[in-house]
Amino acid sequence: MSGNEQRKQWAEHIEDEARALEAQQHAAGGTHTPVEGPLPYSADQLAAAVADAVAAERERCAAIADRWGSEARLREAFGAFTQAELRAAGATARAIGSDIRNAPASGRPRG
């Protein structure tokens, strides 16, 4: 089966699923709604879902690094650090957060 035939078959399947869901919703009445949409079925939908998940995880990790950029947070965790060490640790954490956000989509480091 060619790629075009598979895409057409998936498109028909998605349309069938949508009609079935619509009939199911009609039968359930107005007080019931689906909790979540269908899984991605096409290559494009899967690629978009993966990209969204990667972006969300990248942002989650960058936010963690950002939290460690706070001098107060560092002082709490590493009270024996000098002021210069706290500044250096904060700058390092902020740089890591920035690099996480700005890394290329491939996930490979630049340079």
Side-chain angles (χ1 to χ4, degrees):
M1 180 179 288
S2 74
N4 286 338
E5 290 170 338
Q6 282 183 316
R7 284 187 198 92
K8 183 179 177 187
Q9 187 177 22
W10 271 115
E12 290 171 358
H13 171 73
I14 290 170
E15 288 174 13
D16 290 344
E17 289 288 321
R19 281 192 294 275
L21 181 59
E22 187 177 327
Q24 183 181 34
Q25 284 304 118
H26 181 71
T31 60
H32 295 80
T33 59
V35 176
E36 190 175 313
L39 296 174
Y41 290 108
S42 72
D44 291 341
Q45 288 174 333
L46 180 59
V50 168
D52 288 347
V54 168
E57 182 63 8
R58 184 182 301 252
E59 182 54 36
R60 187 187 75 80
C61 293
I64 291 169
D66 289 347
R67 285 194 298 274
W68 282 100
S70 157
E71 195 173 304
R73 173 88 183 253
L74 290 165
R75 185 177 292 114
E76 183 180 304
F78 307 104
F81 276 17
T82 65
Q83 192 64 31
E85 289 169 330
L86 289 170
R87 281 194 304 271
T92 300
R94 289 186 297 277
I96 290 168
S98 177
D99 276 0
I100 290 170
R101 283 189 180 92
N102 297 317
S106 68
R108 293 187 187 139
R110 289 176 290 202

